[in-house]
Amino acid sequence: MKDLYNAQRMMRNMRKMALQKGAIALLDVGSSKITCLILRFDGEVRPSDLVDAQALSSAVGTQGVGPNFARQALFRIIGASTTKSRGVGFGQIEVMNETERAIRTVVQAAQKMANLKVDQAIACFSGAEPRSYGLVGETQVRESFVSEQDLARVFAACHMPDLGISRDVLHAQPVNFVLDARTGLSDPRGQSGTRLACDMHLLTVETNAIQNLAYCIKRCDLELAGVASSAYLSGLSSLVEDEQELGAACIDMGGGTTGVSIFVKKHMIYADSVTMGGDHISSDISKGLQVPLAMAERIKNMHGGVQATGMDDREMIAISGDSGDWDKDRRQISRTELIGIIRPRVEEILEETRARLDAAGFEHLPSQQIVLTGGAAQLPGMDGLAGKILGPRVRLGRPMRINGLPQALTGSAFSSIVGACLFAVQPQDEWWDFDVPSERYPAHSLKRALKWFGDNW
Amino acid sequence: MQPLIAPKRHQNNPSARRDPAPSRGSYRLQRFLLNPWVQVFLRLGVPILIITLPFAVYFSDTARRTAAMTFVQEMKHTIEERPEYQVTLMSIDGASPELTDGVRRALALELPISSFHIDLAALRAQIENLDAVAHADLRINTGILQVSISERAPALVWRLQDGLQLLDATGRRLALLRARTDRMDLPLIAGEGANLAAQEALRLLMVAGPLSPRLRGLVRVGARRWDMVLDRGQRILLPQNDPENALKRLIALDQAQSLLARDVPVIDLRITARPVLQLSPQALEVLRRKNDNLSVGTKL
């Protein structure tokens, strides 16, 4: 746990350095595409607001998640590039070498566009079997009012579940504070009370996935300034403020995985991923129609859908090929047949997602808005089908607009990289942004000795 | 009809295309080139280097360097020697013939000469160094060097042990004078340091207007005060301070009682409150006799 704390603090320092330098790279390592954005911080970024962890912790909840439009002038995207990903499957790295080459491609292109060299990168990925835990901690307030040290102790008092073998904490965000009988506090510091409790959301992923990603990024001469879950970042960028406040689920339908994140009170309280996505639909089409994967992908994008109508029987799709066999190269299928291939897979994905939402207790939230985003959500009729399976309140989400983002990158497939911009500019307070309890902090022993001296003499 | 020669597979198959990923080397090179100092070097340093390097290489050989220098010198020489730039004459205005000769001798220009080789400021300084020249204007006017000189006006003749010199009103030495008779119009002064008090001498001479028919000159005594010398060896010893007023008083006395017409060789005005008359021995004798007669007369 100490190692995690140090590693995360080191990444925070990297991020601080990048803020001072004025530029940072954001990497979305997805199963179907790898995207790199280069963010320039311009305008006066008040360091007390953004850089200092203490100040970050000063506004738990109020400053944390919500898309704060006033802050948008502070950064601008000056480089953007995206490429077809190689060596990534199910949201995690499968072939290191290929992934490294793909990352190099996007970073080089983005740097060329920005005409700037970046040294720090924030990466996000969707796979690696994320698991959510809700932790509860409780402690007595030492003095009459809640201090930083009390917060540190209440975090330390959280009961840590058994994470399993080789799993690492990706996010650990305090989402709620309880002081005596009052709950729903965002920042209890300075308030008087006797018993302080907190709820924390912990997200763990497989250690190997993070290590592989860190290694690939290091091989590209970049320093890792933060790692985040794609499901979380998609939620940050696609959910509007009231949805984040009242409770909503963001379903990021990517290529290899479908990420699920649930937000309430502007905090993520649950994240999970279904290891099925748009690539599986393409692969179904490829198998069903006996066509290459690239052509299946193209047919899905051009003619795909999930709701067949009578019109679709008459709409014939030509399937060309270069096998040399005339009959095979001149086949035609109706769009209904294509939908017949696509729809079962989409239903499977959505039902799996439904199961995850049920497991998370989504039906207990005050508002049950569901936002579909990601590349696969662009299939026509997807919102109608999702409405039948997931619940009545479904909408298609697009990422919020940010300065300098190229038009080609404003689609819903890029919601997680846009969320990474928000994450880079205003990261939510995580556990490691707060103090370590002084009982566990040897560097404070001299201070405590002096305090003892002062108290007793 | 299908062509007999099938199209090559890899042209159509996108998966067989060249991998767009940059190699590690080119990635690093690009990142290196994006360093700010590298960019500055590429934008400024490289063009400068490209421009200067051929010259540097070419002129690293001594023979080429000397050849180039010679070429430049020759070009310079040809331009300088063009007839348009030749100065063939020097005309000197506003100077007496002696001074004109003196200026020509001082400058010692070997005409014709190229105007590029004439340093007008230096020539002017050289001319103004001459004692008789107050200031000089030089200009080159289509092959003619025109020198306009304004001469200093001589105001005094200063007698020294080894000869006579002309001084201007400020006491500056102008020229040697062969004989006093050459410039009888100018007053004469003498004595050590007389030139330094030339202006005072001129003022005294102006005050001494009524005496001018009899005036021989002024003598500086001890570089401190003036003696006015009249004919018949008569001498007026003027005080160091305010000699003009002392002289004015003496002139007034002379006009009232014609003091200077009497046999008084020295009138000592050095102490203003107590002027002293020195009589000649003959006058003293006459005075004594007269006094005796008077005293006899009174006795009688």
Side-chain angles (χ1 to χ4, degrees):
Chain A
M1 204 39 52
K2 193 80 178 213
D3 293 342
L4 161 83
Y5 202 90
N6 288 336
Q8 292 282 3
R9 282 224 156 173
M10 217 166 79
M11 290 206 278
R12 282 287 202 245
N13 286 337
M14 289 290 172
R15 190 184 145 274
K16 203 189 283 186
M17 265 169 59
L19 279 181
Q20 280 165 359
K21 273 189 178 176
I24 195 167
L26 310 166
L27 271 174
D28 177 16
V29 184
S31 321
S32 62
K33 58 160 183 23
I34 294 186
T35 311
C36 175
L37 296 185
I38 292 177
L39 210 62
R40 191 184 63 200
F41 301 97
D42 46 16
E44 68 285 10
V45 179
R46 277 178 298 167
S48 59
D49 278 353
L50 295 176
V51 180
D52 191 16
Q54 294 295 325
L56 283 173
S57 65
S58 71
V60 184
T62 55
Q63 192 187 353
V65 196
N68 191 342
F69 289 92
R71 282 292 165 70
Q72 296 247 341
L74 295 181
F75 67 90
R76 180 176 182 79
I77 288 164
I78 54 171
S81 166
T82 182
T83 186
K84 181 183 185 325
S85 81
R86 280 96 69 183
V88 183
F90 301 113
Q92 59 189 17
I93 294 168
E94 284 175 347
V95 188
M96 298 282 280
N97 209 7
E98 285 293 307
T99 312
E100 185 204 324
R101 289 158 71 83
I103 292 176
R104 243 192 272 144
T105 314
V106 282
V107 171
Q108 187 180 42
Q111 279 180 345
K112 194 170 178 184
M113 179 174 165
N115 198 21
L116 189 77
K117 183 184 148 197
V118 285
D119 294 322
Q120 283 86 17
I122 290 180
C124 65
F125 60 95
S126 57
E129 222 182 302
R131 278 183 214 154
S132 270
Y133 301 89
L135 310 187
V136 180
E138 189 180 327
T139 187
Q140 292 294 319
V141 176
R142 280 272 166 89
E143 290 158 36
S144 58
F145 55 88
V146 179
S147 65
E148 297 272 352
Q149 277 300 311
D150 288 319
L151 287 185
R153 280 188 295 109
V154 75
F155 295 145
C158 283
H159 173 68
M160 190 54 111
D162 182 19
L163 299 180
I165 303 162
S166 78
R167 291 189 71 83
D168 238 338
V169 177
L170 196 60
H171 295 290
Q173 297 163 340
V175 294
N176 184 28
F177 289 100
V178 180
L179 191 58
D180 293 335
R182 292 181 297 144
T183 183
L185 300 177
S186 58
D187 185 6
R189 281 178 306 163
Q191 302 191 28
S192 62
T194 53
R195 193 184 64 89
L196 179 69
C198 87
D199 298 317
M200 182 148 29
H201 174 236
L202 197 72
L203 187 72
T204 67
V205 291
E206 284 171 7
T207 310
N208 299 334
I210 298 185
Q211 280 175 350
N212 290 344
L213 184 65
Y215 183 74
C216 278
I217 287 174
K218 193 178 158 225
R219 289 269 295 168
C220 294
D221 304 331
L222 296 170
E223 288 162 333
L224 200 59
V227 187
S229 156
S230 286
Y232 168 52
L233 299 183
S234 299
L236 278 190
S237 67
S238 309
L239 301 185
V240 296
E241 199 168 355
D242 61 310
E243 287 168 349
Q244 284 185 356
E245 178 70 34
L246 298 174
C250 175
I251 297 177
D252 180 7
M253 308 185 77
T257 56
T258 297
V260 181
S261 59
I262 300 178
F263 279 74
V264 70
K265 291 205 167 215
K266 296 191 176 177
H267 289 286
M268 178 175 67
I269 57 166
Y270 178 80
D272 205 341
S273 80
V274 178
T275 50
M276 274 184 289
D279 288 351
H280 295 81
I281 302 172
S282 301
S283 123
D284 285 350
I285 294 170
S286 166
K287 285 170 188 161
L289 302 180
Q290 300 285 311
V291 291
L293 204 58
M295 187 182 293
E297 180 77 27
R298 184 172 166 278
I299 290 173
K300 179 186 79 173
N301 291 342
M302 301 290 285
H303 308 285
V306 292
Q307 197 78 44
T309 60
M311 174 79 171
D312 293 331
D313 285 331
R314 297 193 294 278
E315 187 181 338
M316 300 306 283
I317 303 164
I319 301 171
S320 58
D322 61 347
S323 66
D325 179 49
W326 196 89
D327 287 327
K328 185 171 164 62
D329 289 352
R330 294 290 182 277
R331 277 180 296 156
Q332 279 192 329
I333 56 157
S334 69
R335 186 157 180 255
T336 314
E337 281 175 86
L338 180 65
I339 289 171
I341 294 172
I342 292 174
R343 184 168 171 126
R345 179 62 84 171
V346 174
E347 280 177 353
E348 188 188 359
I349 294 171
L350 290 175
E351 269 158 15
E352 192 69 28
T353 310
R354 172 83 251 171
R356 303 294 163 102
L357 288 179
D358 287 344
F362 182 62
E363 68 267 24
H364 302 301
L365 290 186
S367 155
Q368 289 169 28
Q369 180 74 48
I370 288 172
V371 176
L372 293 177
T373 182
Q378 287 170 333
L379 269 179
M382 180 62 98
D383 47 345
L385 184 59
K388 282 180 187 157
I389 295 172
L390 297 177
R393 301 184 57 189
V394 173
R395 73 172 179 94
L396 290 177
R398 305 180 120 248
M400 59 193 293
R401 276 168 289 189
I402 51 180
N403 278 336
L405 190 68
Q407 178 66 34
L409 266 59
T410 51
S412 60
F414 297 93
S415 56
S416 60
I417 193 75
V418 172
C421 295
L422 305 179
F423 178 76
V425 177
Q426 286 177 284
Q428 178 145 23
D429 300 326
E430 307 237 15
W431 179 21
W432 33 86
D433 292 324
F434 294 91
D435 277 347
V436 180
S438 58
E439 291 83 7
R440 297 191 181 179
Y441 206 28
H444 278 183
S445 54
L446 184 66
K447 204 188 253 179
R448 275 191 294 141
L450 285 174
K451 185 172 183 296
W452 177 87
F453 199 77
D455 290 345
N456 290 278
W457 291 81
Chain B
M1 281 288 285
Q2 213 166 351
L4 290 174
I5 301 166
K8 281 178 185 166
R9 284 282 165 102
H10 63 85
Q11 284 180 348
N12 297 338
N13 189 357
S15 63
R17 268 187 312 192
R18 197 179 57 82
D19 186 3
S23 70
R24 231 172 131 67
S26 78
Y27 175 76
R28 288 220 166 132
L29 178 68
Q30 194 229 16
R31 280 173 64 82
F32 172 75
L33 291 180
L34 281 174
N35 276 325
W37 61 269
V38 176
Q39 296 221 316
V40 168
F41 176 73
L42 288 181
R43 207 176 301 127
L44 292 177
V46 169
I48 290 173
L49 217 64
I50 287 173
I51 291 167
T52 55
L53 206 66
F55 288 97
V57 169
Y58 185 79
F59 287 112
S60 60
D61 185 14
T62 320
R64 284 178 190 155
R65 210 159 47 224
T66 44
M69 300 263 274
T70 323
F71 176 74
V72 170
Q73 287 296 331
E74 272 173 10
M75 283 300 289
K76 210 170 141 188
H77 192 71
T78 346
I79 292 169
E80 282 170 0
E81 294 305 315
R82 287 183 72 82
E84 290 88 342
Y85 300 119
Q86 292 292 322
V87 174
T88 48
L89 275 176
M90 177 162 71
S91 80
I92 299 172
D93 302 335
S96 59
E98 301 90 50
L99 186 58
T100 306
D101 284 347
V103 169
R104 280 187 195 284
R105 239 179 293 122
L107 295 186
L109 282 179
E110 290 179 12
L111 298 173
I113 187 170
S114 169
S115 59
F116 285 103
H117 293 167
I118 294 177
D119 182 0
L120 287 180
L123 289 184
R124 182 177 166 199
Q126 219 175 342
I127 292 172
E128 287 186 347
N129 257 352
L130 293 176
D131 293 321
V133 178
H135 61 91
D137 282 332
L138 281 84
R139 72 174 69 88
I140 293 173
N141 202 354
T142 58
I144 298 171
L145 175 63
Q146 270 191 325
V147 185
S148 310
I149 291 175
S150 62
E151 262 188 279
R152 291 178 195 281
L156 291 167
V157 178
W158 183 24
R159 185 184 292 284
L160 292 171
Q161 286 201 328
D162 49 356
L164 290 161
Q165 283 192 338
L166 281 175
L167 299 184
D168 75 349
T170 60
R172 203 186 142 96
R173 216 186 67 87
L174 295 189
L176 282 176
L177 193 65
R178 232 168 273 120
R180 172 76 178 105
T181 47
D182 287 353
R183 294 304 297 261
M184 283 307 284
D185 53 328
L186 298 182
L188 181 74
I189 59 173
E192 189 192 349
N195 57 337
L196 302 178
Q199 287 169 338
E200 195 181 33
L202 286 173
R203 281 202 302 277
L204 282 175
L205 290 169
M206 205 147 47
V207 170
L211 301 180
S212 49
R214 290 192 56 204
L215 188 66
R216 295 288 300 277
L218 286 169
V219 178
R220 191 76 172 158
V221 180
R224 181 171 67 82
R225 62 174 197 84
W226 289 106
D227 274 5
M228 186 171 274
V229 180
L230 305 179
D231 57 358
R232 298 197 332 256
Q234 207 169 27
R235 195 175 259 263
I236 303 166
L237 279 58
L238 293 170
Q240 185 177 352
N241 297 325
D242 202 8
E244 286 118 288
N245 275 332
L247 189 59
K248 277 179 192 163
R249 277 201 297 277
L250 178 67
I251 289 168
L253 195 63
D254 178 45
Q255 283 166 347
Q257 302 184 355
S258 35
L259 175 67
L260 295 175
R262 304 180 189 204
D263 191 8
V264 187
V266 175
I267 300 152
D268 186 353
L269 302 176
R270 284 177 298 182
I271 299 169
T272 319
R274 199 184 60 182
V276 176
L277 301 181
Q278 187 185 336
L279 301 183
S280 67
Q282 294 85 358
L284 203 60
E285 188 62 29
V286 170
L287 183 65
R288 193 171 295 139
R289 235 182 303 150
K290 210 170 185 177
N291 282 351
D292 286 351
N293 290 346
L294 268 178
S295 63
V296 168
T298 47
K299 279 175 193 170
L300 286 176

PDB file of all heavy atoms in Angstrom, chain A residues 426-441:
ATOM      1  N   GLN A 426      -7.927  18.861 -14.197  1.00  0.00           N
ATOM      2  CA  GLN A 426      -8.492  18.910 -12.853  1.00  0.00           C
ATOM      3  C   GLN A 426      -8.691  17.505 -12.346  1.00  0.00           C
ATOM      4  O   GLN A 426      -9.804  16.989 -12.399  1.00  0.00           O
ATOM      5  CB  GLN A 426      -9.858  19.568 -12.890  1.00  0.00           C
ATOM      6  CG  GLN A 426      -9.832  21.034 -13.084  1.00  0.00           C
ATOM      7  CD  GLN A 426     -11.250  21.516 -13.163  1.00  0.00           C
ATOM      8  OE1 GLN A 426     -11.914  21.364 -14.151  1.00  0.00           O
ATOM      9  NE2 GLN A 426     -11.726  22.066 -12.085  1.00  0.00           N
ATOM     10  N   PRO A 427      -7.668  16.845 -11.903  1.00  0.00           N
ATOM     11  CA  PRO A 427      -7.886  15.489 -11.407  1.00  0.00           C
ATOM     12  C   PRO A 427      -8.696  15.531 -10.124  1.00  0.00           C
ATOM     13  O   PRO A 427      -8.563  16.439  -9.318  1.00  0.00           O
ATOM     14  CB  PRO A 427      -6.481  14.977 -11.171  1.00  0.00           C
ATOM     15  CG  PRO A 427      -5.668  16.175 -10.950  1.00  0.00           C
ATOM     16  CD  PRO A 427      -6.305  17.285 -11.697  1.00  0.00           C
ATOM     17  N   GLN A 428      -9.541  14.542 -10.003  1.00  0.00           N
ATOM     18  CA  GLN A 428     -10.293  14.443  -8.757  1.00  0.00           C
ATOM     19  C   GLN A 428      -9.343  14.036  -7.641  1.00  0.00           C
ATOM     20  O   GLN A 428      -8.348  13.352  -7.866  1.00  0.00           O
ATOM     21  CB  GLN A 428     -11.376  13.385  -8.927  1.00  0.00           C
ATOM     22  CG  GLN A 428     -12.172  13.193  -7.658  1.00  0.00           C
ATOM     23  CD  GLN A 428     -13.597  12.882  -7.963  1.00  0.00           C
ATOM     24  OE1 GLN A 428     -13.904  12.417  -9.032  1.00  0.00           O
ATOM     25  NE2 GLN A 428     -14.463  13.157  -7.022  1.00  0.00           N
ATOM     26  N   ASP A 429      -9.666  14.487  -6.454  1.00  0.00           N
ATOM     27  CA  ASP A 429      -8.820  14.117  -5.317  1.00  0.00           C
ATOM     28  C   ASP A 429      -8.853  12.626  -5.137  1.00  0.00           C
ATOM     29  O   ASP A 429      -9.912  12.010  -5.133  1.00  0.00           O
ATOM     30  CB  ASP A 429      -9.349  14.766  -4.052  1.00  0.00           C
ATOM     31  CG  ASP A 429      -9.347  16.247  -4.201  1.00  0.00           C
ATOM     32  OD1 ASP A 429      -8.448  16.738  -4.870  1.00  0.00           O
ATOM     33  OD2 ASP A 429     -10.248  16.892  -3.665  1.00  0.00           O
ATOM     34  N   GLU A 430      -7.673  12.098  -5.009  1.00  0.00           N
ATOM     35  CA  GLU A 430      -7.600  10.690  -4.701  1.00  0.00           C
ATOM     36  C   GLU A 430      -6.967  10.572  -3.332  1.00  0.00           C
ATOM     37  O   GLU A 430      -6.495  11.537  -2.745  1.00  0.00           O
ATOM     38  CB  GLU A 430      -6.775   9.965  -5.773  1.00  0.00           C
ATOM     39  CG  GLU A 430      -7.283  10.260  -7.170  1.00  0.00           C
ATOM     40  CD  GLU A 430      -7.671   9.029  -7.954  1.00  0.00           C
ATOM     41  OE1 GLU A 430      -7.816   7.965  -7.361  1.00  0.00           O
ATOM     42  OE2 GLU A 430      -7.831   9.151  -9.177  1.00  0.00           O
ATOM     43  N   TRP A 431      -6.967   9.368  -2.875  1.00  0.00           N
ATOM     44  CA  TRP A 431      -6.495   9.120  -1.532  1.00  0.00           C
ATOM     45  C   TRP A 431      -5.078   9.663  -1.337  1.00  0.00           C
ATOM     46  O   TRP A 431      -4.738  10.262  -0.329  1.00  0.00           O
ATOM     47  CB  TRP A 431      -6.559   7.609  -1.323  1.00  0.00           C
ATOM     48  CG  TRP A 431      -6.105   7.123  -0.011  1.00  0.00           C
ATOM     49  CD1 TRP A 431      -6.018   7.853   1.132  1.00  0.00           C
ATOM     50  CD2 TRP A 431      -5.694   5.819   0.297  1.00  0.00           C
ATOM     51  NE1 TRP A 431      -5.589   7.081   2.144  1.00  0.00           N
ATOM     52  CE2 TRP A 431      -5.373   5.811   1.660  1.00  0.00           C
ATOM     53  CE3 TRP A 431      -5.575   4.634  -0.427  1.00  0.00           C
ATOM     54  CZ2 TRP A 431      -4.932   4.674   2.297  1.00  0.00           C
ATOM     55  CZ3 TRP A 431      -5.146   3.501   0.214  1.00  0.00           C
ATOM     56  CH2 TRP A 431      -4.817   3.532   1.565  1.00  0.00           C
ATOM     57  N   TRP A 432      -4.243   9.493  -2.380  1.00  0.00           N
ATOM     58  CA  TRP A 432      -2.833   9.851  -2.231  1.00  0.00           C
ATOM     59  C   TRP A 432      -2.608  11.361  -2.303  1.00  0.00           C
ATOM     60  O   TRP A 432      -1.501  11.808  -2.172  1.00  0.00           O
ATOM     61  CB  TRP A 432      -1.978   9.142  -3.271  1.00  0.00           C
ATOM     62  CG  TRP A 432      -2.677   8.928  -4.570  1.00  0.00           C
ATOM     63  CD1 TRP A 432      -2.747   9.799  -5.589  1.00  0.00           C
ATOM     64  CD2 TRP A 432      -3.392   7.766  -4.963  1.00  0.00           C
ATOM     65  NE1 TRP A 432      -3.480   9.266  -6.604  1.00  0.00           N
ATOM     66  CE2 TRP A 432      -3.891   8.004  -6.256  1.00  0.00           C
ATOM     67  CE3 TRP A 432      -3.673   6.545  -4.358  1.00  0.00           C
ATOM     68  CZ2 TRP A 432      -4.651   7.076  -6.949  1.00  0.00           C
ATOM     69  CZ3 TRP A 432      -4.425   5.628  -5.055  1.00  0.00           C
ATOM     70  CH2 TRP A 432      -4.910   5.889  -6.337  1.00  0.00           C
ATOM     71  N   ASP A 433      -3.656  12.118  -2.546  1.00  0.00           N
ATOM     72  CA  ASP A 433      -3.481  13.562  -2.505  1.00  0.00           C
ATOM     73  C   ASP A 433      -3.563  14.092  -1.076  1.00  0.00           C
ATOM     74  O   ASP A 433      -3.255  15.244  -0.827  1.00  0.00           O
ATOM     75  CB  ASP A 433      -4.548  14.259  -3.348  1.00  0.00           C
ATOM     76  CG  ASP A 433      -4.349  13.973  -4.813  1.00  0.00           C
ATOM     77  OD1 ASP A 433      -3.179  13.882  -5.220  1.00  0.00           O
ATOM     78  OD2 ASP A 433      -5.332  13.816  -5.542  1.00  0.00           O
ATOM     79  N   PHE A 434      -3.987  13.243  -0.175  1.00  0.00           N
ATOM     80  CA  PHE A 434      -4.120  13.695   1.213  1.00  0.00           C
ATOM     81  C   PHE A 434      -2.886  13.288   2.007  1.00  0.00           C
ATOM     82  O   PHE A 434      -2.048  12.510   1.545  1.00  0.00           O
ATOM     83  CB  PHE A 434      -5.381  13.082   1.833  1.00  0.00           C
ATOM     84  CG  PHE A 434      -6.644  13.582   1.211  1.00  0.00           C
ATOM     85  CD1 PHE A 434      -7.214  12.916   0.140  1.00  0.00           C
ATOM     86  CD2 PHE A 434      -7.243  14.736   1.665  1.00  0.00           C
ATOM     87  CE1 PHE A 434      -8.373  13.376  -0.443  1.00  0.00           C
ATOM     88  CE2 PHE A 434      -8.404  15.207   1.076  1.00  0.00           C
ATOM     89  CZ  PHE A 434      -8.967  14.531   0.029  1.00  0.00           C
ATOM     90  N   ASP A 435      -2.821  13.808   3.218  1.00  0.00           N
ATOM     91  CA  ASP A 435      -1.669  13.522   4.073  1.00  0.00           C
ATOM     92  C   ASP A 435      -1.651  12.058   4.488  1.00  0.00           C
ATOM     93  O   ASP A 435      -2.678  11.390   4.507  1.00  0.00           O
ATOM     94  CB  ASP A 435      -1.756  14.369   5.336  1.00  0.00           C
ATOM     95  CG  ASP A 435      -1.223  15.745   5.092  1.00  0.00           C
ATOM     96  OD1 ASP A 435      -0.593  15.922   4.038  1.00  0.00           O
ATOM     97  OD2 ASP A 435      -1.441  16.620   5.936  1.00  0.00           O
ATOM     98  N   VAL A 436      -0.458  11.638   4.835  1.00  0.00           N
ATOM     99  CA  VAL A 436      -0.312  10.338   5.484  1.00  0.00           C
ATOM    100  C   VAL A 436      -0.552  10.588   6.969  1.00  0.00           C
ATOM    101  O   VAL A 436      -0.141  11.629   7.482  1.00  0.00           O
ATOM    102  CB  VAL A 436       1.111   9.805   5.248  1.00  0.00           C
ATOM    103  CG1 VAL A 436       1.300   8.471   5.908  1.00  0.00           C
ATOM    104  CG2 VAL A 436       1.389   9.710   3.769  1.00  0.00           C
ATOM    105  N   PRO A 437      -1.249   9.689   7.657  1.00  0.00           N
ATOM    106  CA  PRO A 437      -1.411   9.924   9.106  1.00  0.00           C
ATOM    107  C   PRO A 437      -0.056   9.992   9.795  1.00  0.00           C
ATOM    108  O   PRO A 437       0.858   9.234   9.454  1.00  0.00           O
ATOM    109  CB  PRO A 437      -2.231   8.721   9.578  1.00  0.00           C
ATOM    110  CG  PRO A 437      -2.366   7.821   8.424  1.00  0.00           C
ATOM    111  CD  PRO A 437      -1.989   8.530   7.193  1.00  0.00           C
ATOM    112  N   SER A 438       0.066  10.931  10.705  1.00  0.00           N
ATOM    113  CA  SER A 438       1.386  11.209  11.260  1.00  0.00           C
ATOM    114  C   SER A 438       1.928  10.014  12.024  1.00  0.00           C
ATOM    115  O   SER A 438       3.133   9.868  12.171  1.00  0.00           O
ATOM    116  CB  SER A 438       1.307  12.426  12.171  1.00  0.00           C
ATOM    117  OG  SER A 438       0.360  12.179  13.180  1.00  0.00           O
ATOM    118  N   GLU A 439       1.039   9.123  12.500  1.00  0.00           N
ATOM    119  CA  GLU A 439       1.536   7.954  13.231  1.00  0.00           C
ATOM    120  C   GLU A 439       2.384   7.069  12.327  1.00  0.00           C
ATOM    121  O   GLU A 439       3.253   6.345  12.784  1.00  0.00           O
ATOM    122  CB  GLU A 439       0.365   7.116  13.773  1.00  0.00           C
ATOM    123  CG  GLU A 439      -0.430   7.780  14.878  1.00  0.00           C
ATOM    124  CD  GLU A 439      -1.474   8.727  14.339  1.00  0.00           C
ATOM    125  OE1 GLU A 439      -1.656   8.762  13.107  1.00  0.00           O
ATOM    126  OE2 GLU A 439      -2.096   9.451  15.128  1.00  0.00           O
ATOM    127  N   ARG A 440       2.104   7.146  11.030  1.00  0.00           N
ATOM    128  CA  ARG A 440       2.802   6.235  10.116  1.00  0.00           C
ATOM    129  C   ARG A 440       3.908   6.936   9.363  1.00  0.00           C
ATOM    130  O   ARG A 440       4.467   6.393   8.434  1.00  0.00           O
ATOM    131  CB  ARG A 440       1.815   5.705   9.082  1.00  0.00           C
ATOM    132  CG  ARG A 440       0.716   4.895   9.686  1.00  0.00           C
ATOM    133  CD  ARG A 440      -0.018   4.226   8.591  1.00  0.00           C
ATOM    134  NE  ARG A 440      -1.106   3.439   9.150  1.00  0.00           N
ATOM    135  CZ  ARG A 440      -1.939   2.754   8.405  1.00  0.00           C
ATOM    136  NH1 ARG A 440      -1.808   2.779   7.103  1.00  0.00           N
ATOM    137  NH2 ARG A 440      -2.891   2.056   8.963  1.00  0.00           N
ATOM    138  N   TYR A 441       4.179   8.143   9.716  1.00  0.00           N
ATOM    139  CA  TYR A 441       5.053   8.941   8.856  1.00  0.00           C
ATOM    140  C   TYR A 441       6.321   9.240   9.616  1.00  0.00           C
ATOM    141  O   TYR A 441       6.347  10.098  10.487  1.00  0.00           O
ATOM    142  CB  TYR A 441       4.323  10.234   8.489  1.00  0.00           C
ATOM    143  CG  TYR A 441       4.775  10.840   7.191  1.00  0.00           C
ATOM    144  CD1 TYR A 441       5.283  10.045   6.171  1.00  0.00           C
ATOM    145  CD2 TYR A 441       4.690  12.205   6.981  1.00  0.00           C
ATOM    146  CE1 TYR A 441       5.674  10.596   4.987  1.00  0.00           C
ATOM    147  CE2 TYR A 441       5.083  12.762   5.793  1.00  0.00           C
ATOM    148  CZ  TYR A 441       5.566  11.952   4.790  1.00  0.00           C
ATOM    149  OH  TYR A 441       5.955  12.514   3.613  1.00  0.00           O
TER     150      TYR A 441
END
